[in-house]
Amino acid sequence: MSDIAGELARVREAFDKPTLRLLDRKWAPFVLAVFKSSFSREHRSVSCEALHTQVDAYLADLRSIGLDAPEKTGRALCVQWMNDLWLYREINDAGEEHYSLTSHALEALLLVDGLARDRALISESRLTTIVDTVRHRATEANPDREERVRRLDQQIRELSSERDRLSDGGDIEPASNEQMHEGYANLINLIQQLPSDFKRVEESVAAMHRQIVNDFRGEERPISEVLDDYLAKTDALMSSTAEGRAFEGAFTLLRNDALLQGLKADLETILLHPFALELSRTERRSFMSTVTLIRKGIDDVLTQRKGLTTTLREHIVNHDVVKDRELERVLRDVNRELATWMQTAGPRSTVTAELIPGTLDVEHLHERFYDPVAHRAPPALADVSGAAPAAPSLDALRQQGGPLLQELRDALVAAFGTGEAASIGSAFNGLDASLRRPVEILGLLQLAAQLSPGTAGLESFETVRPDGSVRFFEVPRLILTDDDTAALAAQNLGSEND
């Protein structure tokens, strides 16, 4: 007897999944076109109101050019697609509702893109990838030590031979545009499968989240049993499913910064080939964002796992079994009394029930009892004055402060009055070390700004820091006239000597 019945059952089960249900609907082309236009690798989620408005605009555009379109509104269609498991609605950290595509919708888009692609994926690049992968896995699966050594020696000989040929000046045959296009199509096909893989892991964690919350609320099992089940499901999710293994591999890749940098550099090298000129800007940008795609997918999965862990922690910390059982007992008593009352009550009978208990008229309610410890004096502070450093002197404090303007004015008046200084810089370099701090240059420039002296190039200021180190600064060369010197002297004498 043939196994057609079993095959028919498996096919029907596949058609019952949301992916094929999406492709089997009358408006499937419209739905996929909306998803393709509204979501992208850069815009993985769209606010609910924005998507409702976009769908309404798409419907109006199609009707304006005479094409058939669903009769529902954008909001109604989005709700329907969410119920069909093609859209997922969530609330972000800002409290806003957003839509994102489910793994079923991503798989449907990937299938349609593959069917619409002109270039066949059965190529030298695809076969080479398969052969290399099979060879690598066969080497890992073979427990024969000698066979492994033989394969490694063969690879070493092949690589050494190629290296020697190139070192001796051998020709490097460049890859043709056709070969690069085939390899690019193979890579794109593999990269495009990543979002749906990540989304399946994310949905698996979300389903586990809902199941655990229901188990907590139902209290059909002890908390310890629910936690053990969560840990077991987590291990199974990351090891027994294809999407879980893909996630673990990507997570290992993400932790290797050198490998990620190498991947990014290799992507850039591929796009430097002349064949990339035939790619659109969108295709090049999408190809270069592969590393970002991996990081974003892993972040989404980890966010879901963090939410699940938070739910577990909050339930364990805040769950009060006694109060829940008291509430359940009260509700059970209410149902029992309601059943007794319905035996004699008519179809339109009503009963007055106080939904909210009344408040108590209490002038003051003690929230806690008196605790003498709360009024106990704090312990005395330890005397550590013996370990205190020596207090700085007034001169030391002044050395850490701003410029000494009065001393600087006196020094400038003296230097220019006797004709010893040719410029402010030469006057500064002849001052005492206590007046040649770096901050004193700012004081000199402040004094010069009040006089507007002439400038002539740059000159070097030799400064001395409070710790004794010397620094040199290049400052505009400023020259004071006799009138400027008189004005400085008048400032030190005060306003009554103007």
Side-chain angles (χ1 to χ4, degrees):
M1 183 176 178
S2 65
D3 57 348
I4 185 63
E7 292 295 336
L8 179 60
R10 283 190 288 272
V11 171
R12 283 178 174 173
E13 183 181 357
F15 269 85
D16 287 337
K17 293 184 178 180
T19 300
L20 290 184
R21 279 196 284 107
L22 171 56
L23 298 175
D24 193 41
R25 296 294 177 87
K26 172 184 176 182
W27 300 111
F30 169 76
V31 177
L32 291 173
V34 170
F35 291 167
K36 190 76 173 177
S37 302
S38 302
F39 297 92
S40 64
R41 188 177 294 183
E42 292 77 17
H43 300 87
R44 299 166 60 90
S45 62
V46 180
S47 66
C48 293
E49 293 300 327
L51 185 59
H52 298 162
T53 304
Q54 287 181 9
V55 175
D56 287 332
Y58 296 150
L59 293 171
D61 291 343
L62 294 177
R63 292 164 185 162
S64 64
I65 59 178
L67 296 179
D68 291 337
E71 298 298 332
K72 296 183 179 180
T73 63
R75 180 184 296 273
L77 287 174
C78 290
V79 172
Q80 177 184 339
W81 298 339
M82 186 178 62
N83 294 332
D84 290 332
L85 302 181
W86 304 332
L87 283 180
Y88 178 72
R89 185 171 61 188
E90 58 184 348
I91 300 178
N92 60 8
D93 296 337
E96 300 176 351
E97 292 185 337
H98 280 68
Y99 285 123
S100 60
L101 295 179
T102 63
S103 62
H104 311 295
L106 291 172
E107 288 176 346
L109 288 173
L110 183 61
L111 180 59
V112 171
D113 287 342
L115 295 175
R117 188 180 294 113
D118 295 333
R119 187 177 300 274
L121 292 178
I122 300 180
S123 60
E124 178 186 358
S125 174
R126 174 58 64 91
L127 295 178
T128 301
T129 301
I130 294 175
V131 171
D132 291 342
T133 304
V134 170
R135 182 185 296 116
H136 179 68
R137 294 306 173 193
T139 302
E140 292 183 342
N142 193 346
D144 189 352
R145 184 185 304 273
E146 295 182 358
E147 178 62 19
R148 284 201 178 192
V149 172
R150 187 192 67 80
R151 291 197 177 207
L152 291 174
D153 289 339
Q154 181 181 356
Q155 293 178 8
I156 292 173
R157 285 194 300 270
E158 293 175 355
L159 294 176
S160 298
S161 176
E162 179 64 13
R163 178 185 177 279
D164 294 339
R165 187 185 71 83
L166 294 177
S167 298
D168 295 338
D171 296 334
I172 299 178
E173 183 178 355
S176 64
N177 286 0
E178 184 66 22
Q179 291 175 333
M180 293 301 297
H181 272 296
E182 291 176 356
Y184 171 78
N186 184 24
L187 287 176
I188 287 298
N189 180 257
L190 296 175
I191 293 171
Q192 287 178 344
Q193 297 177 19
L194 289 176
S196 59
D197 291 339
F198 284 127
K199 183 58 71 172
R200 281 196 295 270
V201 180
E202 187 178 345
E203 290 173 354
S204 299
V205 177
M208 188 194 309
H209 190 174
R210 291 191 295 270
Q211 180 62 41
I212 288 179
V213 170
N214 292 334
D215 291 343
F216 280 153
R217 292 175 178 173
E219 290 190 5
E220 297 177 356
R221 296 185 299 167
I223 293 180
S224 58
E225 184 179 339
V226 175
L227 292 178
D228 292 340
D229 190 19
Y230 160 68
L231 297 176
K233 286 182 177 179
T234 302
D235 293 338
L237 176 66
M238 297 307 166
S239 59
S240 64
T241 62
E243 56 268 19
R245 290 190 295 270
F247 172 77
E248 285 295 321
F251 194 58
T252 302
L253 178 66
L254 182 64
R255 289 182 299 207
N256 192 337
D257 292 334
L259 192 60
L260 277 181
Q261 293 298 328
L263 173 60
K264 187 175 181 181
D266 291 340
L267 295 175
E268 294 175 351
T269 303
I270 292 175
L271 291 182
L272 291 177
H273 193 274
F275 94 98
L277 297 176
E278 304 175 16
L279 303 178
S280 65
R281 180 180 300 178
T282 303
E283 290 174 334
R284 291 196 296 269
R285 184 172 62 251
S286 176
F287 187 68
M288 278 304 303
S289 63
T290 301
V291 176
T292 304
L293 173 66
I294 296 174
R295 292 183 184 274
K296 185 65 172 69
I298 291 179
D299 288 342
D300 291 341
V301 175
L302 294 180
T303 300
Q304 283 287 351
R305 289 177 56 175
K306 182 180 178 181
L308 176 56
T309 306
T310 302
T311 299
L312 293 173
R313 184 178 65 251
E314 291 180 351
H315 185 85
I316 294 173
V317 173
N318 301 323
H319 183 61
D320 192 338
V321 179
V322 176
K323 289 184 178 179
D324 289 349
R325 290 176 178 173
E326 290 178 353
L327 178 60
E328 182 181 1
R329 184 167 55 253
V330 171
L331 294 177
R332 192 180 300 112
D333 293 341
V334 170
N335 288 332
R336 184 169 55 253
E337 294 296 332
L338 182 61
T340 303
W341 176 71
M342 289 296 296
Q343 294 176 1
T344 57
R348 296 184 180 277
S349 301
T350 60
V351 60
T352 302
E354 184 180 5
L355 298 180
I356 301 178
T359 58
L360 297 177
D361 187 10
V362 180
E363 294 183 359
H364 180 70
L365 182 63
H366 288 282
E367 297 181 356
R368 59 183 180 180
F369 294 102
Y370 173 73
D371 185 4
V373 178
H375 296 275
R376 183 182 300 171
L381 296 176
D383 186 6
V384 294
S385 58
S393 63
L394 179 60
D395 291 338
L397 291 176
R398 294 189 66 190
Q399 287 298 318
Q400 301 297 329
L404 306 175
L405 296 181
Q406 182 173 354
E407 288 81 349
L408 289 176
R409 275 196 294 265
D410 293 339
L412 288 178
V413 170
F416 279 93
T418 59
E420 298 176 357
S423 64
I424 290 182
S426 62
F428 177 84
N429 293 333
L431 297 178
D432 185 75
S434 61
L435 290 178
R436 285 194 289 122
R437 297 177 301 158
V439 73
E440 307 296 353
I441 297 178
L442 300 178
L444 289 176
L445 295 179
Q446 177 182 345
L447 296 177
Q450 300 172 357
L451 303 174
S452 301
T455 60
L458 298 175
E459 61 181 339
S460 178
F461 280 60
E462 181 183 354
T463 64
V464 181
R465 289 180 170 178
D467 59 0
S469 59
V470 178
R471 291 291 302 274
F472 291 88
F473 295 90
E474 295 293 330
V475 183
R477 180 180 175 86
L478 303 176
I479 302 174
L480 299 183
T481 63
D482 294 340
D483 294 338
D484 295 334
T485 304
L488 283 177
Q491 290 180 9
N492 278 349
L493 293 178
S495 58
E496 61 273 7
N497 293 280
D498 290 346

